[in-house]
Amino acid sequence: MTGQSVYWDENVPSIGIATSSELPKKTDIAIIGGGYTGLATAIHLARAGRQVAVFEAGEIGTGCSARNGGMVGPSFHKLGTQGLIARYGETKTLALLREGLNALDYFESIVQEEQLDCDLQLAGRFRGSRTQADYEAQAREGSWLKQNLGLAFDMVPKSEQHTEIGSDFYVGGGVYHRDGGVHPRKLLAALARCAEQAGVMILSNTAVELMQKDSGRTILQTVSGQIIATEVVVATNAYADNRTSAMHKRIIRIDTGAVATEPLSRALIDELSPKGRTFGESGRIFMWFRPTPDRRRFIFGGRMGRSDGGTDQRAHAIRGSMLRVFPQLKDVGFSHVWSGNVAYTRDHAPHIGQEDGVWLAGGYCGSGVTRSLYFGMKLARKILKQRDSETAFDDLPFAPLPFRPFAEFGAKVLTKWYAWQDARDLRTHR
């Protein structure tokens, strides 16, 4: 297998909007990045009467917003409750975690209100525990979240695991009842159409090469010419580079991969996911997986495989993780293999606010579907100085990374170290 092929492109080959070709001389708001965050921000600003231009370096839909796993949920913090409490205290921890539930509530409401055709299915997520120690830790965490935040959560022992997943690999796990999935490219297309209808000027294949402050305004030099903006939003997230340095120097770009299986029988799909759940697992380098919205294939993804190894190597690495969970798929091939970037931050938290003279929202740490729409709305309110613009993330410092040129190399080294630790845990603690 050679070359990347994204499963989501199959159902939505075109985003279906008439992108602008003529660059205006000025705009109220220039938004760099045409993914979920950029388009969500643009919609709110345009509906408030602002002139908004969205700049995308390539075609709309070439970044992570159209290539991710489409996993939906509260997106709690990577440090876990105890890690957060140790760092911020219990009051702040509750506020940060509550934002995840707020984001999911908002996501559900906006999909319904805007009639966003994105195959939203909140069938719940089963997170498998690789070891008994993981199971006990997950039970403590879930109980704390259920008691303090009202999270809809239940533990499932190994004796009942087959009601959730067609696998004997895990020692049990937890069910997060409000999680689910969407078709990510359909969601992006729906947001793009909303933005277009709101009067947003969408400029694809129009990379911003340089930004320069001038008398309270910003001059943006693009591949198509120059434009002057009153405010600038950088929504490039993991696809930031030195041209959008305010974001680039604050995030670590992590390369991830995904595969889609060949079509499976309905009986096999029902065996793998009896209740239509999406799936995750414990571990430092974990795999996520889910049935496609039409329940004809399964998608598997994560940080398996080398970014420089090509699609064959990527597919081989993901296959190994797939077969440890579902050995019954040993004769099943892959129809699609692709990769994309996600943005991590030093504190494992997303960030929103103003840095280096531009507005930023991003650093979702692999959980950006619900967060990005929520942050886009909140960021627009901040720019407009509207009420209810605050989030619990506002006061978290978004400091630049030390030794930024070595960040991606360091992340690759840590990934290998984490994978070794996961393998050791499986050998010694199962």
Side-chain angles (χ1 to χ4, degrees), residues 38 84 86 102 184 254 263 315 398 405:
L84 283 171
N102 293 341
I254 303 289
F398 198 10

Side-chain angles (χ1 to χ4, degrees), residues 271-291:
E271 175 188 336
L272 302 179
S273 181
K275 298 176 181 177
R277 308 277 201 214
T278 59
F279 299 98
E281 60 179 6
S282 64
R284 300 166 185 85
I285 305 299
F286 56 86
M287 178 174 67
W288 57 263
F289 46 112
R290 58 166 295 186

Side-chain angles (χ1 to χ4, degrees), residues 5-320:
S5 174
V6 183
Y7 168 74
W8 306 116
D9 293 355
E10 193 172 277
N11 301 116
V12 190
S14 171
I15 295 298
I17 58 172
T19 59
S20 303
S21 57
E22 185 176 347
L23 190 70
K25 292 182 179 180
K26 62 181 181 178
T27 187
D28 294 334
I29 318 286
I31 298 177
I32 307 173
Y36 296 151
T37 304
L39 291 174
T41 307
I43 291 166
H44 290 278
L45 291 170
R47 287 177 176 173
R50 300 298 192 271
Q51 183 184 20
V52 184
V54 172
F55 297 86
E56 174 59 47
E59 293 291 337
I60 299 293
T62 54
C64 192
S65 290
R67 303 165 73 88
N68 66 79
M71 307 284 269
V72 171
S75 306
F76 292 127
H77 201 284
K78 307 296 180 183
L79 293 180
T81 57
Q82 295 309 305
L84 283 171
I85 291 171
R87 178 174 293 186
Y88 300 114
E90 186 166 319
T91 300
K92 184 66 173 180
T93 292
L94 284 168
L96 290 170
L97 295 176
R98 194 170 288 112
E99 290 286 13
L101 294 174
N102 293 341
L104 181 57
D105 289 341
Y106 175 76
F107 185 85
E108 286 187 81
S109 67
I110 203 70
V111 167
Q112 182 177 6
E113 291 169 10
E114 300 290 345
Q115 298 183 337
L116 303 179
D117 178 17
C118 62
D119 296 335
L120 174 61
Q121 299 169 3
L122 294 178
R125 175 169 60 99
F126 175 80
R127 182 171 180 259
S129 299
R130 294 183 182 183
T131 69
Q132 187 60 34
D134 291 343
Y135 182 87
E136 293 167 2
Q138 187 175 7
R140 290 192 299 271
E141 179 101 347
S143 177
W144 192 94
L145 292 168
K146 192 172 187 176
Q147 179 179 350
N148 290 279
L149 289 176
L151 179 71
F153 169 85
D154 290 297
M155 289 300 292
V156 178
K158 188 174 179 66
S159 61
E160 300 175 18
Q161 185 169 285
H162 272 280
T163 65
E164 300 293 341
I165 184 172
S167 175
D168 291 319
F169 176 74
Y170 302 110
V171 299
V175 174
Y176 301 79
H177 293 282
R178 290 196 64 204
D179 283 38
V182 296
H183 189 302
R185 189 170 170 87
K186 282 187 177 181
L187 176 60
L188 185 69
L191 289 171
R193 286 192 291 272
C194 281
E196 184 179 46
Q197 292 165 6
V200 175
M201 178 174 288
I202 299 176
L203 298 126
S204 60
N205 298 303
T206 310
V208 174
E209 302 288 346
L210 184 67
M211 291 185 286
Q212 183 178 359
K213 286 290 184 181
D214 179 59
S215 302
R217 305 172 303 171
T218 302
I219 301 172
L220 292 84
Q221 188 64 46
T222 79
V223 295
S224 301
Q226 182 176 287
I227 182 172
I228 298 173
T230 305
E231 302 274 11
V232 175
V233 174
V234 173
T236 46
N237 207 35
Y239 290 81
D241 55 27
N242 287 326
R243 294 172 298 183
T244 51
S245 61
M247 179 71 77
H248 177 63
K249 67 186 182 183
R250 290 176 166 85
I251 60 97
I252 304 167
R253 183 172 57 240
I254 303 289
D255 177 81
T256 65
V259 302
T261 66
E262 297 171 339
L264 306 176
S265 70
R266 185 56 184 260
L268 182 52
I269 288 282
D270 290 344
E271 175 188 336
L272 302 179
S273 181
K275 298 176 181 177
R277 308 277 201 214
T278 59
F279 299 98
E281 60 179 6
S282 64
R284 300 166 185 85
I285 305 299
F286 56 86
M287 178 174 67
W288 57 263
F289 46 112
R290 58 166 295 186
T292 54
D294 60 7
R295 292 182 65 78
R296 294 190 63 228
R297 307 171 193 251
F298 242 80
I299 293 177
F300 299 85
R303 290 165 64 178
M304 296 79 74
R306 302 194 315 271
S307 58
D308 59 351
T311 54
D312 290 339
Q313 190 276 336
R314 177 82 72 182
H316 177 76
I318 296 178
R319 177 176 290 279

Side-chain angles (χ1 to χ4, degrees), residues 369-381:
V369 178
T370 50
R371 282 174 170 171
S372 55
L373 269 64
Y374 181 68
F375 271 27
M377 174 268 293
K378 289 290 189 178
L379 189 64
R381 289 181 179 177

